[in-house]
Amino acid sequence: MSLESKKLRYGIIGTGMMGREHIRNLLAIDNCEVVAISDNHAPSRAKSAELINGVTQFSDHREMLSTNELDVVIIATPNNTHLNILDDVLEAGPHVLVEKPLCTTVKDCQLAIERDKQTHRDGRVVWVGLEYRFMAPTRRLIREVSSGTCGKVQMVAIREHRFPFLEKINNWNRFTSNTGGTLVEKCCHFFDVMGLIAQSQATSVFASGNQDVNHLDEFYDGKRSDILDNAFVIVEYQNGVRGMLDLSMFAEGSKNEQEISVVGSKAKLEAMITESKVRIGLRANGTTGVEEFVVKQPHGVIAGFHAGASYLEHLAMQRAIRSGSKSEVTLSDGLNSVAIGQAAHVSIAQKRVVEISEITN
Ligand SMILES: NC(=O)c1ccc[n+]([C@@H]2O[C@H](COP(=O)([O-])OP(=O)(O)OC[C@H]3O[C@@H](n4cnc5c(N)ncnc54)[C@H](O)[C@@H]3O)[C@@H](O)[C@H]2O)c1
């Protein structure tokens, strides 16, 4: 049967918080079903099995893949497991969405890209879960920039002020060796959005950051958590755009978890993500001429966190699968977003400007 009309059969690898968010969203979409799940932690499997009638459960993803019954596989396991699991899925052949960050280092992202080429299948969609670009106000901002509202973009500032990292299964997210570091793990989303707005490739990064407040007294197997909790990261792009990320993970008292501001030759655009608001202020109209409006997701489905972005991400991926078109969020996008995060960590450690080419070559 052609994939255009077929009920797509999904398998989920890793059924913790994000795996279940994917499951909830897929259950809300017509003409697809989750037929199999795999997780090596029985309580995670049990929580997901409660959501899906008659789902087949596996504790090893290789057994799940060997059934050859899946059209699409989602990888939602800890970051440091992505490369090996993706390798197995690419070998098996289904379409695949791998959660962000693609991998914990650029070197591993490059290996993933190489493996995709080596196992190439015509029409296979390989998608990275950089879903913040699917948030309604963010999409609107990107559209306004593309249509020229801002004029020539010069400055992109993204602020994430939020609560600390949540607890994860076996506390994998408490250590940089598992996550790639906060500026890779969390902030790859923002570097992805920054690149879409800048419409250019990053060339260099300068950052200052530290673990100053969170998890300081958390020890696991005698090792203290080493997760950075605040940073400023400045990014320069090939076309002269300047980007800045302002991250604080001890800012529960924020009205908006994320705010984006773009300033160009003609206007300043802003997106307030939690409030789902966009502001457009043309230079010619001054302070009193700033327009502000609410932007909602078109479908109204918010199954899980991320303000409906996962749902839109799946619709977009399914459109690509069914029409045989290319992935909208490629492995290269995954690599680029990790490269800026990794460069920022090097910059903090060595107190210097880091060229992206140092990280990618
Ligand atoms: N797109 C987003 O906005 C977003 C948000 C949160 C998390 N994530 C990403 O999703 C992934 C999972 O994060 P989470 O928050 O769900 O973590 P989690 O700890 O809640 O869940 C991870 C699950 O993977 C399972 N697992 C570990 N190794 C496995 C293996 N080899 N095979 C099968 N299962 C395995 C664990 O038992 C656990 O159930 C991470 O890569 C994270 O960065 C993305």
Side-chain angles (χ1 to χ4, degrees):
M1 187 191 282
S2 113
L3 281 182
E4 244 172 86
S5 52
K6 186 185 178 212
K7 193 169 207 179
L8 294 173
R9 293 164 66 84
Y10 279 77
I12 316 289
I13 305 175
T15 57
M17 189 218 87
M18 200 58 205
R20 291 199 293 279
E21 174 160 332
H22 285 299
I23 291 170
R24 287 193 188 91
N25 280 285
L26 291 168
L27 293 176
I29 297 176
D30 289 339
N31 214 17
C32 70
E33 57 187 334
V34 179
V35 295
I37 57 172
S38 168
D39 199 300
N40 52 17
H41 182 66
S44 292
R45 286 200 303 276
K47 279 188 189 162
S48 299
E50 276 171 22
L51 302 172
I52 325 160
N53 282 334
V55 72
T56 311
Q57 300 184 39
F58 297 89
S59 55
D60 185 327
H61 66 275
R62 286 162 298 194
E63 272 177 48
M64 182 179 92
L65 293 171
S66 69
T67 62
N68 286 325
E69 285 189 343
L70 304 169
D71 299 306
V72 193
V73 166
I74 293 177
I75 302 171
T77 55
N79 306 350
N80 58 333
T81 65
H82 289 181
L83 178 62
N84 286 341
I85 295 176
L86 179 62
D87 210 12
D88 293 334
V89 178
L90 290 172
E91 192 65 48
H95 304 283
V96 55
L97 183 155
V98 53
E99 261 307 337
K100 65 81 215 164
L102 169 56
C103 298
T104 54
T105 63
V106 165
K107 192 161 160 276
D108 282 359
C109 293
Q110 287 166 336
L111 287 173
I113 290 172
E114 197 50 42
R115 286 298 287 147
D116 179 39
K117 284 190 193 137
Q118 286 164 354
T119 59
H120 173 82
R121 313 247 165 140
D122 282 342
R124 172 170 70 191
V125 172
V126 180
W127 191 285
V128 181
L130 289 162
E131 66 180 344
Y132 278 41
R133 51 162 90 184
F134 291 101
M135 288 184 176
T138 308
R139 278 168 80 81
R140 177 62 186 266
L141 207 69
I142 293 169
R143 221 172 53 228
E144 293 290 345
V145 168
S146 309
S147 67
T149 309
C150 206
K152 181 177 179 324
V153 172
Q154 295 294 349
M155 303 168 79
V156 186
I158 301 184
R159 166 177 288 162
E160 177 166 77
H161 280 188
R162 57 162 270 182
F163 48 89
F165 278 117
L166 300 172
E167 281 184 22
K168 298 290 168 187
I169 306 298
N170 297 327
N171 302 300
W172 66 266
N173 66 345
R174 292 316 198 239
F175 293 99
T176 293
S177 55
N178 299 334
T179 65
T182 304
L183 299 171
V184 168
E185 138 72 6
K186 167 98 277 269
C187 302
C188 57
H189 278 305
F190 306 122
F191 299 132
D192 179 56
V193 168
M194 209 179 261
L196 287 174
I197 296 172
Q199 296 176 323
S200 184
Q201 287 289 324
T203 53
S204 65
V205 173
F206 180 64
S208 164
N210 200 12
Q211 178 185 17
D212 284 319
V213 176
N214 296 341
H215 321 302
L216 291 169
D217 53 1
E218 286 183 28
F219 287 80
Y220 304 93
D221 296 331
K223 272 175 63 189
R224 189 167 71 80
S225 166
D226 65 358
I227 284 297
L228 173 151
D229 58 22
N230 71 109
F232 291 123
V233 181
I234 293 174
V235 186
E236 287 185 343
Y237 287 86
Q238 243 161 32
N239 63 356
V241 170
R242 254 181 283 288
M244 190 180 84
L245 174 76
D246 162 359
L247 173 76
S248 171
M249 299 195 65
F250 41 88
E252 288 90 335
S254 284
K255 194 158 186 180
N256 280 281
E257 204 172 302
Q258 293 99 19
E259 298 174 14
I260 306 175
S261 132
V262 185
V263 193
S265 55
K266 287 207 316 219
K268 171 174 172 175
L269 312 181
E270 288 175 283
M272 306 289 143
I273 306 300
T274 309
E275 293 175 287
S276 227
K277 281 183 184 158
V278 166
R279 289 187 200 132
I280 299 182
L282 298 180
R283 292 179 72 191
N285 295 346
T287 311
T288 52
V290 177
E291 257 186 276
E292 178 177 293
F293 45 90
V294 171
V295 188
K296 291 270 184 229
Q297 290 287 31
H299 50 75
V301 172
I302 299 183
F305 303 114
H306 306 110
S310 303
Y311 183 84
L312 272 199
E313 172 185 52
H314 283 300
L315 290 186
M317 185 177 176
Q318 289 186 4
R319 271 197 305 277
I321 291 171
R322 291 188 191 285
S323 66
S325 49
K326 291 214 167 85
S327 174
E328 257 180 62
V329 197
T330 62
L331 295 180
S332 295
D333 293 328
L335 182 151
N336 290 337
S337 61
V338 167
I340 300 176
Q342 192 178 328
H345 278 294
V346 173
S347 175
I348 290 168
Q350 299 182 4
K351 293 190 179 299
R352 66 178 180 92
V353 175
V354 175
E355 301 296 324
I356 291 293
S357 57
E358 297 177 49
I359 305 290
T360 52
N361 292 333

